[in-house]
Each structure stands twice: as structure tokens, then as C-alpha cells.
Amino acid sequence: MSDAARTYEAGRIQVIEGLEAIRKRPGMYVGSTGPRGLHQMVCEALSPGVHGALARGAGSVDVTLTSDGGVRVADDGPGVPFASAGDASPPGLEAQLTRVYAGWEPGSGRVLRLALFGVGLSTVNALSSRLVAEVRRDGVREVQEYARGVALAPPSPAGPAAGSGTTLTFWPDADMFETTDCSYEALAESLRALALLNRGLRLSLTDERPPGGAATERFEGGIRDFVAFLETTAEGAPVHPDILAFEVEDPRMAGTVEAALRWRDAGDSGGTVVRSFANSGPTHEGGAHVEGFRAGLAAALTAYARERRLLTAADPDPDADRVCAGVTAVVSVKLDRVEYSGATRTLLGGAEVRSCVEEAVRAHVGTWLERHPQQASAVVRRIVGAEGRG
């Protein structure tokens, strides 16, 4: 290496700011330039509408995959004005689209985080070849158009508005992504989970691309409905008719735990399906909440079986793997301060979370077993019988 190549001077430093930095390193802001990053773009665009709906206690956000390769995200909120109302007010929509970190931050730490790194709508704008923003507010419809993050003109009135809300339609930039073709199935899975984990939130996904006509799915409900949906592809018949569900607030972990579950007779294959979430984000690797769930479930079933003398003094306690065999469950925690083990945010940490979830599961499952002796007997006898066969 030459001496010139080893010399670093101020003149060699390249300063990249704003949306240019996002376009220079897109993977740093949406996780990848492949399909995962493309779908993250949709999540970033969803974020303000979903936060607003949850803050109001109800609301809807509709996502449409348009026939010309675009994505339209429309909400029924009050409409975000293009300009801020003042220094004390949240940034206006134009600022959110053009300034990095100008996004709206929810007041509660438990509100889900759809944005990957909190950069905001500027990521969507920067990585789109074209973006059209529409605001319906106070009976007026305003529109502004961008090209690769640059406004083509100021916001302008475009006629009267029916209702209120904000709509973003964007076309992912083919120069930034390996593919600009969104997967309907992947987005449907994400939206379904989001709606089922947050009561009062209504989401829909429409695909206008098929030549045979548009297809639409609507998602809403609660965590019981989530388990029922997962069971549509689960093995075996339900061991008991009821889906057990509960929600507990625990100040020791500064958050809530919500869980729903049902055992199925999946035979020797096990057939366990446990989906876990932290602040509505999937934790594919599990972590403290899943460990607490498994330990609490094992403790509740063991205590009930010994009290009813379904286990003898000589019988060992069934382990968590045996107790959880055949379970279809959803475990969701919403925390003021989320602690992840790793940068991918798919493995939840926190000793308090583990102990609080374990305690909540043991108490509520134990109570359910006591109040439903016939269903409890079916569950416990299956586990004890399986233990004996092992």
C-alpha cells in the first residue's frame, strides 16, 4: 500500500446526510435489500396509522398491493397535516417524509414498534421511486408527490374529502431492492398477527395484481382467535373444547402478559405450536417469556396431578417438553422497557419477565384446571399417560 493510500485527511471524508444516507446504505435502514427489506417498507408505512388507531382505542388501516407494482396504505385517522401546528406539536407529514428521525413517537413504551430502527416515514420515501401522500382533513383533500425522496411540488388542494385519514402510495425503487414484488402471503401473516394481538385494531390486505380480480382479507379479533387460527393447520383434535386465555398486568416487569392455549391430541408427533411476541413483534427465537410460559405450564399441571393423585409419590414430575406436547399457544408481552438478547430483536431477555410470566401462567392455568375438572382430567391424563409410555 502506498503512502498516499495510507494518508487520511479531512478532504477524504465524505459526509452523507438525510435521505441520501438511506439510499446509500438501504439495508442499514430496512434490514436487507431482499424481500425482507421490501416487506419492512410496508411495516414502516403502516406504523403511524397503527399507532394512531391504538391510541384512539379502535381504527382501521388498509393495505393494497396495486396492479402497477405500488403499495397503498390508508388509515381512517384524523389525517396528519402536512405542516406542523407548532413547536410543541408532532412534526407534520412533510417533515416525517423528508427528515430522518422526524417520525411520531408514541407516548407509551408498550406500543408496538413496527419501524425497524425508528427512522420513520423518511425511509419509505427515500427508497421509493415515487410516493404520493394524501391527507383528508377538515373536509379538504391535499396531495403531495415525491420522486426518490424529493418533493416535486408543495402540498396542494385536490378537492373535497369524504371522511378523514392519511394515505401513502409508494412504488419501491428497483435500483434499491432485488425485487419490488411484495409477497401477499408474507404480508397477510404479519397483518393477521398484528390485528389479533391488538384488540380494536382492524387491518385489511387487498391484492389487485391477480388477472382474475382483486382478493381481500380482513383481520381483527383477539388472542383466542389467534390460537383458533393456528389450529387450522395443527395436528390432532382438541383435547378440551375451551381455549384458555388470560391477561395480567405486573408492575414488577413493567408490563403485561397475555396468553392463550389449547391442548390437542397430536399423538406421538407432539404437534407443539407456540408463537411468541414482545410489544407485538415476533420473537422467533423465544426467550424469557417462552421459558416462563413453559415452566408455569409444567408447574400448574404437576401440582394439579399430584393433588388429584394422578401421579404417585414415586412418579417423577413431567418435564416441560412433555407438558407442552400438543399445545397450540400464543404468548405476548407488552413492556415499557424491552430487553432483547441480540441485535435481531427475536430473542427476549429479562429475568423479571421470565419469573412474572411463569407465575401468571401457573396461577391462571391452575385456576382453570380447578374450575373445569372434566377438561382438566382429559389434559392431565393424556400427559400422565404419555409420561408413562415414555
Side-chain angles (χ1 to χ4, degrees), residues 33 51 76 89 101 108 126 162 204 211 222 248 266 271 280 292 338 374 379 383:
T33 56
H51 285 147
D76 63 353
S89 301
Y101 301 112
S108 170
S204 74
V248 176
S280 298
V338 185
Q374 288 185 329
V379 171
I383 292 170

Side-chain angles (χ1 to χ4, degrees), residues 189-212:
E189 182 179 355
S190 297
L191 295 184
R192 182 184 296 110
L194 189 57
L196 292 174
L197 290 169
N198 295 278
R199 288 186 299 273
L201 177 63
R202 301 183 301 275
L203 300 176
S204 74
L205 177 62
T206 299
D207 194 349
E208 296 180 342
R209 300 171 300 177

Side-chain angles (χ1 to χ4, degrees), residues 21-94:
I22 299 176
R23 290 185 60 82
K24 186 73 173 178
R25 297 286 185 268
M28 291 178 59
Y29 295 87
V30 291
S32 102
T33 56
R36 183 164 63 93
L38 181 67
H39 297 145
Q40 181 60 37
M41 284 265 284
V42 181
C43 292
E44 302 279 343
L46 271 172
S47 186
V50 170
H51 285 147
L54 294 177
R56 298 191 303 273
S60 63
V61 182
D62 303 315
V63 178
T64 302
L65 306 178
T66 65
S67 58
D68 60 355
V71 180
R72 183 168 61 248
V73 178
D75 66 55
D76 63 353
V80 180
F82 278 101
S84 174
D87 294 339
S89 301
L93 184 58
E94 188 169 10

Side-chain angles (χ1 to χ4, degrees), residues 7 39 50 71 78 83 85 90 92 106 110-111 141 156 198 200 213 216 243 248 281 298 301 337 354-355:
T7 303
H39 297 145
V50 170
V71 180
R110 297 182 197 179
V111 175
R141 176 172 167 265
S156 60
N198 295 278
T216 299
I243 294 177
V248 176
L301 265 293
R337 298 175 301 277
R354 187 194 188 286
S355 60

Side-chain angles (χ1 to χ4, degrees), residues 276-283 289 331-335 338 340 348:
S276 63
F277 301 84
N279 287 25
S280 298
T283 46
H289 50 340
V331 184
S332 171
V333 293
K334 295 178 181 176
L335 309 168
V338 185
Y340 294 103
L348 186 67

